[in-house]
Amino acid sequence: MISSVISGVIASIIFTIIQIAIRPRLEISKNICISKSDEGLVIAKIKIVNLGRKMLKDVRYTLHYCVDYDDGLSDITEVAPKKNYLSTVAAYSKENTDYAVRISYEWDEKKYPMEENTRFIFTLQGSHPLSNTSKCLKREYRKDDLKIGSFETGKSCKFILNH
């Protein structure tokens, strides 16, 4: 009886280690890349990278504009992406860069002004196709995190500033 309990505990530990080892590995850029459109709208890009060896499925992401007030309350507005939502992101590969995606948003500066009491919150969730384990990440962006420039290519989320 003791040996069956010990083997059950060992099997559970091994199963947990495997689940942790194969869960999704994601990265979100620390900055938002911004530029202006011909119509005067802000074009913003957030880069997400799948560093895992398997494709991500059931990908969900949101960008929220938050205004914080002195009384502790906040107004939250969801910003829709410029293009249709992605549902999958390719696995990491040295042959191509489909695993790194730039998600674009577009808004009027007057509608979402960036001040000391405002912020953007980006959330990302994706699932591993075999284990069905999920990972959810959140990144908060303040005024200083919006930069004019572009992202490096590949798995890097580093930023190249335009002057």
Side-chain angles (χ1 to χ4, degrees), residues 143-161:
K143 185 178 184 177
D144 295 338
D145 298 322
L146 278 66
K147 310 249 186 219
I148 298 172
S150 58
F151 292 109
E152 289 183 355
T153 58
K155 70 180 182 177
S156 171
C157 283
K158 291 183 182 175
F159 203 76
I160 302 169
L161 291 174

Side-chain angles (χ1 to χ4, degrees), residues 36-53:
K36 298 276 184 166
S37 70
D38 294 336
E39 296 84 28
L41 299 173
V42 173
I43 299 172
K45 294 179 183 175
I46 298 173
K47 186 173 180 181
I48 62 172
V49 181
N50 178 11
L51 298 170
R53 297 182 190 266

Side-chain angles (χ1 to χ4, degrees), residues 43-104:
I43 299 172
K45 294 179 183 175
I46 298 173
K47 186 173 180 181
I48 62 172
V49 181
N50 178 11
L51 298 170
R53 297 182 190 266
K54 293 287 182 189
M55 174 180 72
L56 282 178
K57 68 174 191 161
D58 301 329
V59 176
R60 289 184 217 106
Y61 50 88
T62 59
L63 181 66
H64 290 99
Y65 175 75
C66 304
V67 180
D68 301 323
Y69 297 105
D70 293 335
D71 60 0
L73 298 175
S74 297
D75 279 339
I76 300 174
T77 307
E78 186 170 348
V79 182
K82 190 174 176 182
K83 297 179 182 176
N84 291 336
Y85 285 93
L86 297 171
S87 59
T88 61
V89 177
Y92 174 74
S93 167
K94 293 184 180 185
E95 286 80 43
N96 62 48
T97 58
D98 294 343
Y99 59 87
V101 179
R102 291 170 187 89
I103 301 169
S104 299

Side-chain angles (χ1 to χ4, degrees), residues 75-146:
D75 279 339
I76 300 174
T77 307
E78 186 170 348
V79 182
K82 190 174 176 182
K83 297 179 182 176
N84 291 336
Y85 285 93
L86 297 171
S87 59
T88 61
V89 177
Y92 174 74
S93 167
K94 293 184 180 185
E95 286 80 43
N96 62 48
T97 58
D98 294 343
Y99 59 87
V101 179
R102 291 170 187 89
I103 301 169
S104 299
Y105 295 89
E106 189 174 70
W107 63 76
D108 184 353
E109 252 181 319
K110 294 174 188 164
K111 187 173 181 181
Y112 303 120
M114 287 306 290
E115 299 170 1
E116 294 302 316
N117 67 328
T118 60
R119 59 196 160 105
F120 284 104
I121 298 176
F122 182 78
T123 56
L124 170 66
Q125 179 181 348
S127 298
H128 190 276
L130 297 176
S131 68
N132 214 25
T133 55
S134 294
K135 187 164 189 179
C136 186
L137 298 173
K138 178 176 93 169
R139 175 87 53 185
E140 194 170 295
Y141 300 101
R142 297 282 180 176
K143 185 178 184 177
D144 295 338
D145 298 322
L146 278 66

